[in-house]
């Protein structure tokens, strides 16, 4: 029988388990706040394990507390950072998106029901073909140039004018 004023081995084990779990919780919370962008799934798993750990710490089952600590540490170790999109990739994507929009606008203008002169229509079609070729590449400056050329050609479209049909003049 243990004296009333000395903690039993059971109490010591429980206190150690709770202290270890508190430390694991603090580590997990700090990890989520470290400024890195983790994938949603791995971040959610850490949050789920944090909730479970915060529940387990309220109890008096040292084994459950140790299990919660292990699960939390495993989730923290499994945290994955989202792949970084380089600024170069973002600029290239922006150029591609802008060029796609310019191609779409030029095609819409050609199909707007107006009859354009063969010369200006041909220039736009040629610019569209060039833009579509450049779109497959990774050269941002070529995309910017193709977009500018296409917009210039589309802005230069001229509507064919109908030549007046000569009306015979009535003879006096």
């Amino acid at each position: 029988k243990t004296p009333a004023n000395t903690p039993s081995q059971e109490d010591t084990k429980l206190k150690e388990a709770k202290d270890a779990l508190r430390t694991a919780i603090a580590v997990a919370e700090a990890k989520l706040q470290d400024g890195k962008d983790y994938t949603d799934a791995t971040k959610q798993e850490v949050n789920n394990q944090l909730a479970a750990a915060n529940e387990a710490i309220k109890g008096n089952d040292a084994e459950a507390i140790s299990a919660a600590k292990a699960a939390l540490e495993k989730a923290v170790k499994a945290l994955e950072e989202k792949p970084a999109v380089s600024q170069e990739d973002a600029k290239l994507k922006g150029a591609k998106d802008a060029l796609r929009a310019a191609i779409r606008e030029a095609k819409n203008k050609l199909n707007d029901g107006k009859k354009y002169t063969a010369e200006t229509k041909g220039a736009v079609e040629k610019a569209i073909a060039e833009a579509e070729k450049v779109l497959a590449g990774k050269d941002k400056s070529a995309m910017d140039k193709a977009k500018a050329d296409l917009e210039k050609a589309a802005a230069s479209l001229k509507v064919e004018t109908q030549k007046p049909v000569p009306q015979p003049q009535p003879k006096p």
Side-chain angles (χ1 to χ4, degrees), residues 83-162:
V85 176
S86 75
Q87 222 165 350
E88 196 57 39
D89 289 346
K91 285 180 184 171
L92 184 62
K93 184 184 181 320
K96 280 190 176 207
D97 289 347
L99 185 53
R100 278 190 197 98
I103 291 169
R104 196 170 37 253
E105 286 174 31
K107 284 180 176 180
N108 288 342
K109 191 162 185 178
L110 284 181
N111 297 316
D112 65 4
K114 295 178 185 163
K115 192 159 175 58
Y116 295 104
T117 63
E119 183 186 332
T120 60
K121 186 177 178 180
V124 172
E125 288 169 340
K126 183 179 174 209
I128 289 172
E130 184 57 34
E132 287 175 334
K133 262 192 263 172
V134 171
L135 196 57
K138 290 192 181 301
D139 184 348
K140 183 188 175 305
S141 60
M143 287 178 202
D144 292 342
K145 181 183 181 318
K147 177 180 176 280
D149 292 350
L150 181 55
E151 288 170 342
K152 184 178 171 192
S156 303
L157 273 172
K158 288 190 178 78
V159 177
E160 234 177 57
T161 51
Q162 293 292 328

Side-chain angles (χ1 to χ4, degrees), residues 12-84:
T12 306
K13 191 175 169 189
L14 182 62
K15 184 186 178 314
E16 287 170 357
K18 284 190 176 190
D19 289 346
L21 184 53
R22 278 191 199 93
T23 302
I25 289 171
V27 167
E29 288 172 342
K31 186 81 171 164
L32 289 177
Q33 303 302 320
D34 67 4
K36 293 181 181 168
D37 195 12
Y38 296 107
T39 63
D40 294 337
T42 60
K43 209 172 11 180
Q44 184 59 51
E45 182 57 22
V46 171
N47 283 320
N48 292 346
Q49 295 305 329
L50 272 169
N54 283 314
E55 269 312 300
I57 208 161
K58 294 175 190 170
N60 290 321
D61 182 348
E63 282 182 31
I65 292 170
S66 292
K69 174 184 170 279
L72 179 58
E73 288 171 340
K74 181 180 174 193
V76 168
K77 196 176 272 186
L79 270 174
E80 267 179 52
E81 278 188 68
K82 286 183 181 172

